[in-house]
Amino acid sequence: MSAPARDPGRTAGGERNQSASLRRALAVLEYVRDHAGAGQGLSLSRLAEALGLSKSTVLRLTVPLVEARLLERDRRSGAYRLGHGTLRLGQAYLSTLDLRSVAAEETRELMREVRETVHLVVYEPPYVVYIDKVEDESKVRMASRVGSRGRLYCTAVGKAILAWQPEAVVAETVAAGMPALTRHTITDPVRLRTELARIRQRGYAVDDRENEPEVRCVAAPIFGHDDSVSSALSVSGLTSRITAARVRDLGPLVARAALRISRKLGSHR
């Protein structure tokens, strides 16, 4: 029996050529994504020059991208911009995301690194809601529980989220009242706004015994795919373990972990 004819499209050389073409097509798509301004687009000449390809090669690579609606080309100017197919892909990806699952690796790694309780919260106006808690079982356990709510103005997670909200949300928080929960709670609106500005500058928030008398907490915002903030990550512990000096070390650690989660969610930060 004779051997079956070999499909020339399945040869190693053919597969390598297809792989190289795919990589170059993706490079075209990524360049348009990163450099095509709103309402404008990129010319064929600019794409070819930027990617080091001939115009004919770029034109060939863009044909299937346009057919798939990943790119669209202006009929008059010939400029390329992202097509609505990219929006459908993004929406499909976002629909599969679950914050707890996305953050799981980072929350557990952070707990192992600092040996303190790590919380994950989401913003449900006018509160934050704790949706995950990872504890070091060798330490005294925190009283917090998944499903409980916290206030924006006196918790580190709340302030980490509030710092990136519009002024109208800050005003609503102030108008709702800022009762003192401990003698360290910030109750002055001017002082709160000053604190929020500091949080934006350094990238993390601190609850210095403001919500519970013997607890310190360090938190950082988690940015979504549109770079808005509706969740936060924190490290909490007794003041005997999380000293004022240690807060300065924990802040950048929490901020970096939150940023890694943000990028997994599609943030460009």
Side-chain angles (χ1 to χ4, degrees):
M1 180 180 294
S2 60
R6 190 175 184 183
D7 181 355
R10 298 293 296 173
T11 64
E15 290 179 351
R16 282 196 297 271
N17 289 338
Q18 290 176 2
S19 179
S21 294
L22 177 58
R23 285 195 295 270
R24 287 187 292 181
L26 290 174
V28 171
L29 186 62
E30 290 173 354
Y31 192 85
V32 173
R33 177 198 65 193
D34 295 337
H35 296 89
Q40 300 176 355
L42 298 174
S43 68
L44 180 63
S45 298
R46 180 175 171 184
L47 280 172
E49 181 180 357
L51 297 170
L53 301 171
S54 67
K55 292 182 182 179
S56 60
T57 298
V58 173
L59 188 60
R60 175 175 56 82
L61 294 172
T62 59
V63 169
L65 296 175
V66 171
E67 290 175 349
R69 304 292 191 268
L70 298 177
L71 287 182
E72 62 181 38
R73 193 176 189 191
D74 189 275
R75 291 184 177 180
R76 279 193 249 179
S77 68
Y80 290 94
R81 60 180 61 86
L82 290 182
H84 59 76
T86 58
L87 177 60
R88 293 201 306 271
L89 280 177
Q91 290 173 332
Y93 171 70
L94 291 172
S95 69
T96 68
L97 291 181
D98 171 72
L99 180 59
R100 288 183 62 181
S101 299
V102 172
E105 181 180 353
E106 295 296 340
T107 56
R108 280 145 186 77
E109 180 59 34
L110 183 60
M111 187 279 291
R112 287 191 291 268
E113 184 174 6
V114 303
R115 310 307 301 181
E116 302 291 351
T117 300
V118 174
H119 290 112
L120 184 68
V121 310
V122 294
Y123 179 37
E124 291 188 4
Y127 301 102
V128 291
V129 177
Y130 293 78
I131 64 169
D132 202 5
K133 177 181 181 180
V134 185
E135 292 183 285
D136 179 357
E137 296 184 359
S138 67
K139 302 287 178 65
V140 176
R141 296 193 174 187
M142 303 294 295
S144 59
R145 59 181 177 79
V146 172
S148 63
R149 300 186 303 180
R151 298 172 184 263
L152 291 175
Y153 71 94
C154 61
T155 60
V157 284
K159 289 188 291 182
I161 292 173
L162 187 60
W164 271 269
Q165 301 306 310
E167 168 57 28
V169 175
V170 178
E172 288 173 6
T173 301
V174 170
M178 300 167 56
L181 302 185
T182 75
R183 64 187 184 91
H184 298 284
T185 304
I186 296 175
T187 58
D188 175 27
V190 174
R191 187 181 164 199
L192 176 64
R193 285 184 168 86
T194 300
E195 177 71 5
L196 296 179
R198 289 182 62 201
I199 293 167
R200 288 191 294 272
Q201 183 178 32
R202 68 189 178 194
Y204 64 89
V206 179
D207 160 10
D208 186 6
R209 301 161 292 170
E210 297 162 45
N211 190 52
E212 297 178 66
E214 300 300 324
V215 174
R216 283 196 179 95
C217 182
V218 183
I222 295 173
F223 297 87
H225 70 282
D226 58 354
D227 284 338
S228 64
V229 175
S230 59
S231 54
L233 178 72
S234 72
V235 167
S236 302
L238 297 176
T239 54
S240 58
R241 295 197 307 269
I242 299 184
T243 62
R246 193 182 177 202
V247 164
R248 291 190 290 272
D249 295 326
L250 289 175
L253 289 177
V254 178
R256 285 195 291 270
L259 184 58
R260 289 192 292 270
I261 296 171
S262 299
R263 288 173 177 165
K264 291 179 181 179
L265 292 171
S267 171
H268 297 291
R269 287 181 172 261

